[in-house]
Amino acid sequence: MDYSHDEAVATVASQVQSFHSRQQPFRIYHGSTNSTRDSPYGRDNIVNTAPLTHVLQVDPTAQTVLAEPNVPMDQLVQATLAHNLVPLVVMEFPGITAGGGFSGTSGESSSFRHGFFDATVNWIEIVLPNGEVRRASQKDDPELFWGAASAFGTLGIVTLVEIQCRPAKPLVELTYHSAASMDQAMQVFRTATADQTIEYLDGIVFAKNHVVVCAGRLVDSPPEGGPVQRFTRAQDPWFYIHAQRRSPAPSAGSNTPPSVTHYIPLEDYLFRYDRGAFWTGRFAYQYFLTPFNRITRYILDFFMHARVMYHALHQSGLSSYFIIQDVAVPCGGTTEFIDWLDHKDSFGSYPIWLCPLRHSEGVMSRSRDLSDANTETNSETDDGYIMNFGLWAPSPFHNDRQAFIAQNRRLEGKVRQLGGKKWLYAHAYYTEDEFWSIYNKKEYDSLRAKYHASYLPDLYQKVRVNLVPGNGSQSWESWMRGLFWSVWPVSGLYGVYKAWRGGEYLIRKHK
């Protein structure tokens, strides 16, 4: 039977109308997630959008693609490449969806040029929390469009997006620039952003004195003898290991960072961080006391892709052992921030991901601190840019819940001090007053009232972490279960088992 998008949306709208008539809050069930937050899904409180997984149209003339919200990046790229197109911004994990990218403020290595993913969307179809189906664009009904961007589904359910593309080429010419300090790396970033031929830009901090900036451009073919490197096959290297080995730290006193260039098939470049989920996969080897080398990475490759790792992370509950945060600070504060992160009590782990980003118009992606930051910049070219830091590592305080919370709160406080912000796909440890001192609650609440969303949980309720877990009424059975779960490696093995089995893992089954 032919698929009908309109019928699928009508089903979603009917479910929403039912909840609205009872003023009963609901959650949106997509079937999977790239968030690390605990998700309170149950079969009686969800609107199921899992079937919305189709690419409906690719328009080579307009250079656009029409996709439902649960279309993952790998499916989206395959559909557009068939027409020699590629989306302007492609999130680096294949399983991140178009809807998640729009509603969750996703920015990647082309975002220094094109902005966040939401800025590359022409228009959206959205089911409002009263069941009404609307269309909004950057030009027509921009208030609803930018309100829905970065609202994490708290303003309605996005059911369709039209995404901007550009002509594709087979390869990315990627040059690795080594820098001896964050200040030196920032100069490389500024030079690259000023070069209009550079289309992809990010970096990795391996140590305070070793930063690698990766600048890429699309090309048709490598020069004769030019090395072609892949990253998506089991026998290929993990990208961060390759970048570190090919770009050693500059020698003392060197003024010109050495550089090396490789040619990467476009899909391999776009999803270069999938295997190992950047470098977090190596922590699984540490957890299971497994040697970390080329042979074991090849043997265990199935488990080392981001989709599988997120599945295991949710089932095991091990996210509470890790700092998993993406934060952004003004470019002038990057050196101070790296110096602060270098201390164990702050973060004290490497690598750290760097990604320059253009500001977004989304209501919840515009924090007050970013616009009012007093941090001085080193160059006029920093105007409009912020620097994302990807911070993912085990916490040294994972055995002490309160110390772990305090570490996360110190990180949030430092980012705020520097005039920065954090992305809300991960755990948020703010108090409610702290959270709304950063984000514009008045504008957000006004939009929710206008579009019938006030009965739904707001964004703070969705992303917050309970800072006072437990209330003294824990049952004996729950205490025993928790004690058993804390025994190494019970939770980790359970997560691996559930990831291996697959299936729906967010909806809690009825007893």
Side-chain angles (χ1 to χ4, degrees), residues 73 89-94 96-98 100-101 106-108 117 270-271:
M73 287 297 104
V89 174
V90 177
M91 281 70 84
E92 267 101 347
F93 287 167
I96 297 178
T97 61
S106 292
E108 304 302 340
F117 184 78
L270 295 174
F271 303 126

Side-chain angles (χ1 to χ4, degrees), residues 90-94 108-110 174 176 200-204 214 230-232 237-240 264-278 353-355:
V90 177
M91 281 70 84
E92 267 101 347
F93 287 167
E108 304 302 340
S109 64
S110 60
L174 193 67
Y176 309 82
Y200 299 104
L201 185 63
D202 71 342
I204 304 173
C214 307
R230 297 194 59 185
F231 295 106
T232 55
W238 288 10
F239 178 78
Y240 89 94
I264 306 169
L266 178 56
E267 284 189 83
D268 284 65
Y269 172 80
L270 295 174
F271 303 126
R272 66 201 181 282
Y273 288 117
D274 175 42
R275 293 173 57 248
F278 284 89
W353 189 48
L354 301 174
C355 189

Side-chain angles (χ1 to χ4, degrees), residues 127-240:
V127 177
L128 298 180
N130 66 346
E132 178 187 356
V133 181
R134 294 273 292 272
R135 181 176 291 193
S137 72
Q138 298 188 29
K139 295 181 180 179
D140 298 320
D141 207 348
E143 181 183 57
L144 176 58
F145 179 89
W146 290 116
S150 75
F152 288 82
T154 61
L155 200 61
I157 302 175
V158 174
T159 52
L160 195 62
V161 291
E162 184 183 80
I163 303 161
Q164 301 170 30
C165 299
R166 57 152 297 162
K169 294 184 179 181
L171 299 170
V172 174
E173 178 191 83
L174 193 67
T175 300
Y176 309 82
H177 303 273
S178 289
S181 67
M182 193 65 205
D183 281 341
Q184 193 178 69
M186 289 304 300
Q187 292 303 319
V188 179
F189 276 116
R190 293 182 179 108
T191 299
T193 56
D195 183 348
Q196 294 303 309
T197 69
I198 299 298
E199 295 157 306
Y200 299 104
L201 185 63
D202 71 342
I204 304 173
V205 184
F206 292 103
K208 281 184 64 177
N209 64 348
H210 185 200
V211 184
V212 176
V213 179
C214 307
R217 69 188 92 215
L218 290 169
V219 296
D220 289 310
S221 60
E224 185 175 352
V228 175
Q229 178 64 60
R230 297 194 59 185
F231 295 106
T232 55
R233 301 171 302 179
Q235 66 268 32
D236 295 330
W238 288 10
F239 178 78
Y240 89 94

Side-chain angles (χ1 to χ4, degrees), residues 441-457:
K441 181 173 173 47
K442 182 178 180 180
E443 183 179 3
Y444 174 66
D445 284 346
S446 176
L447 285 174
R448 279 166 52 84
K450 180 175 181 178
Y451 295 109
H452 316 286
S454 297
Y455 76 98
L456 299 179

